[in-house]
Amino acid sequence: MEDKSFNPFKMAQRQFDEIAEQLGLDQGTKELLRVPSREYHFTIPVKMDDGTTKVFQGFRVQHNDARGPSKGGIRFHPQETINTVRALATWMTWKCAVVDIPLGGGKGGVICDPHNLSMREQEQICRGWIRQIAVNIGPLQDIPAPDVMTNSQHMLWMMDEYEKLNGGKFPGMITGKPVGMGGSLGRTEATGYGVIYTLREALKSKNVDIKDTSASFQGFGNVSQFAIELYHKYGGKTVCVSSWDQDDQKSYAFYKESGINLDELLEITDKFGGIDKDKAKNLGYEVLPGDEWISREVDILVPAALENQINVDTVQNISKKVKFIAEGANGPTTPEADKVLSKLGIFVIPDFLSNAGGVTCSYFEQIQGNMNFFWTKEEVIEKLDKVMTKAFYGVYELSERKGIFMRDAAYMIAIARVAEACKLRGWV
Ligand code: NAD
């Protein structure tokens, strides 16, 4: 989330400006792509369980839809800000382009904390969000999805409200629906697995055997849990994970040198990805301050919680042993920290490539919904692996050929594709 000193949208713009310059984009294209095409701010009044009315602030930002309808999640977070949503919508445009799926970039949010809301109140927020934005989204315009602290139940309430307003069935208006209600098998695993497919190929490209590696993860939610599952399946060892503690209002890192046991940790984790620290202690985990995840002596770091976690201050704490960073979260590394990582020779798989598995599977959900024919989980996972692997090598080859940082190579590919679409449409 944005704090006083960190504006994620400014960071997204700085990243764009640098690459736009290198690509030699004309002034009009630069002006078009450095800001969102459209954004909506609205209120959502909700009758709370105690009889009072509370007004929540909602957002939807559509950054660019030259390559297809906007696509992107809706986050519920107490510190949500419009600049975070703008940045995330921008990154969605580049993400869809780098994996070459025919969608644009969007993002939405509501300032709220689901920890303190009943299911009925959350349902009212979901339905209210749709009522305020229904005319500006839809299967051919902008397709929302789950994100931080939203899930398949929220998506189904949203679809139901949209269908009531529009008088028909519109399964293609939202993704991340429950399986059996238009959802795709494999969606839950997709982002985490995608992170590991690109990591697997990165290690292979650098002749490192994944079985000889260890990793530390920030966050223990949807992305981390499935990334860890697949990483362990390939023979890797996770020694540390961190998570947010709602009672103490701070994060903790859970460390075990011999390697964490995913199943036992899952048993003591709540639905928000918070690990019970007392139970973890009893299971033999060292419980450390949350920021210790970054200083572990491991080969691989996987930030998979929030933005702005690897910055000028924290980058100094990265151990010399670290050779790879696979970014599960959106925007975890600042451009200043990037320069340090580049100097240290750390191989970074940038967020919008590494975590593109989620949107790729959402795109598969749309395809299956349109056909009204659903693939097996194996088919989905196999297709996902192909898309992620192909996208990784597209970026890796450019980065090797030009001798540039992986993030710059990924941006070059994505921005060039979107700029070309704008040009072909005659927008610039
Ligand atoms: P989630 O809500 O399931 O999990 C978030 C995890 O981060 C939880 O374990 C939480 O305890 C932890 N956390 C929160 N604040 C923390 C802090 N200060 N320190 C340490 N841990 C903290 O969310 P998710 O779906 O796993 O998403 C994680 C990141 O990945 C986000 O940046 C999200 O935008 C990005 N992402 C998610 C998807 C997806 O499909 N879920 C796709 C692309 C990108």
Side-chain angles (χ1 to χ4, degrees):
M1 299 295 122
E2 184 189 350
D3 61 34
K4 284 193 191 77
S5 57
F6 174 70
N7 177 335
F9 184 52
K10 287 229 163 79
M11 170 171 141
Q13 286 188 313
R14 283 219 311 282
Q15 290 166 332
F16 169 77
D17 290 343
E18 228 169 78
I19 303 297
E21 210 51 50
Q22 289 175 36
L23 285 171
L25 293 188
D26 60 87
Q27 192 55 29
T29 309
K30 278 196 254 186
E31 276 177 35
L32 181 70
L33 294 182
R34 76 189 303 280
V35 290
S37 298
R38 290 172 289 272
E39 63 179 56
Y40 306 94
H41 301 223
F42 45 87
T43 50
I44 308 171
V46 171
K47 284 252 180 324
M48 305 299 281
D49 293 348
D50 65 4
T52 60
T53 298
K54 202 164 168 198
V55 179
F56 295 90
Q57 178 69 44
F59 306 109
R60 185 71 184 172
V61 173
Q62 295 159 356
H63 172 258
N64 185 280
D65 54 9
R67 286 172 47 88
S70 304
K71 183 91 193 80
I74 304 169
R75 298 160 57 121
F76 283 180
H77 200 284
Q79 272 96 47
E80 192 62 282
T81 70
I82 186 62
N83 282 319
T84 310
V85 183
R86 284 175 181 142
L88 291 162
T90 309
W91 288 324
M92 281 305 293
T93 303
W94 313 139
K95 190 182 296 190
C96 293
V98 83
V99 288
D100 209 7
I101 56 179
L103 295 166
K107 207 77 175 189
V110 178
I111 304 176
C112 70
D113 190 349
H115 289 99
N116 309 323
L117 295 165
S118 70
M119 292 307 276
R120 194 200 65 83
E121 289 165 342
Q122 292 182 42
E123 178 177 350
Q124 293 315 307
I125 293 178
C126 289
R127 293 186 185 276
W129 192 90
I130 289 290
R131 282 196 298 276
Q132 288 289 47
I133 192 79
V135 292
N136 304 109
I137 59 167
L140 304 176
Q141 275 173 282
D142 179 5
I143 305 127
D147 205 295
V148 172
M149 289 205 266
T150 53
N151 57 38
S152 57
Q153 176 63 75
H154 297 112
M155 298 305 108
L156 206 63
W157 285 326
M158 288 185 170
M159 182 184 80
D160 187 66
E161 190 67 20
Y162 185 87
E163 291 183 342
K164 275 186 192 154
L165 291 169
N166 287 284
K169 296 294 174 199
F170 296 91
M173 66 76 51
I174 206 157
T175 61
K177 299 182 289 296
V179 172
M181 290 295 291
S184 174
L185 289 166
R187 175 63 187 89
T188 320
E189 293 86 349
T191 307
Y193 279 15
V195 169
I196 301 304
Y197 293 141
T198 57
L199 175 66
R200 178 193 67 200
E201 297 308 318
L203 294 168
K204 214 187 280 173
S205 305
K206 298 291 173 194
N207 296 316
V208 176
D209 187 343
I210 198 166
K211 293 192 183 74
D212 299 333
T213 64
S214 60
S216 174
F217 286 70
Q218 187 191 35
F220 195 59
N222 172 258
V223 178
S224 278
Q225 292 175 8
F226 288 100
I228 293 171
E229 182 201 299
L230 189 62
Y231 175 59
H232 288 185
K233 216 176 263 176
Y234 288 149
K237 180 173 84 166
T238 303
V239 296
C240 186
V241 295
S242 70
S243 78
W244 181 253
D245 189 293
Q246 186 61 17
D247 295 334
D248 296 359
Q249 288 291 301
K250 59 179 179 179
S251 60
Y252 291 105
F254 300 86
Y255 178 65
K256 200 182 247 186
E257 206 186 334
S258 58
I260 68 148
N261 178 323
L262 180 62
D263 291 334
E264 78 179 9
L265 274 188
L266 284 175
E267 268 177 34
I268 58 165
T269 300
D270 66 22
K271 62 177 190 264
F272 299 106
I275 300 170
D276 185 318
K277 62 176 182 313
D278 298 320
K279 289 185 180 157
K281 261 184 214 155
N282 290 339
L283 289 168
Y285 289 85
E286 248 182 85
V287 180
L288 306 167
D291 50 11
E292 290 283 323
W293 76 279
I294 204 172
S295 54
R296 300 296 92 194
E297 290 242 335
V298 288
D299 306 287
I300 301 156
L301 290 177
V302 185
L306 300 169
E307 311 87 56
N308 189 28
Q309 298 303 299
I310 305 179
N311 53 41
V312 269
D313 302 320
T314 60
V315 75
Q316 317 297 337
N317 302 332
I318 294 180
S319 131
K320 288 208 168 51
K321 191 164 189 257
V322 172
K323 289 286 169 283
F324 296 86
I325 295 180
E327 296 182 334
N330 289 310
T333 309
T334 65
E336 293 77 18
D338 252 354
K339 293 203 170 75
V340 181
L341 298 179
S342 170
K343 260 193 214 136
L344 292 172
I346 295 178
F347 189 99
V348 175
I349 311 169
D351 51 0
F352 64 102
L353 169 63
S354 174
N355 70 28
V359 73
T360 303
C361 197
S362 290
Y363 167 57
F364 293 163
E365 179 176 331
Q366 283 188 299
I367 297 172
Q368 296 169 81
N370 289 343
M371 293 190 300
N372 206 5
F373 176 75
F374 288 81
W375 302 329
T376 62
K377 186 164 161 186
E378 290 67 34
E379 283 175 284
V380 172
I381 298 296
E382 191 190 321
K383 287 179 172 66
L384 177 70
D385 192 348
K386 277 193 185 135
V387 170
M388 296 302 295
T389 300
K390 181 167 176 242
F392 172 84
Y393 280 108
V395 174
Y396 180 66
E397 273 155 27
L398 182 67
S399 124
E400 287 288 292
R401 184 152 45 84
K402 294 204 166 216
I404 54 176
F405 203 46
M406 281 287 284
R407 192 183 319 276
D408 291 351
Y411 268 121
M412 279 192 171
I413 290 173
I415 293 172
R417 281 182 183 153
V418 179
E420 179 67 8
C422 294
K423 197 169 174 187
L424 288 170
R425 283 179 181 272
W427 290 357
V428 285

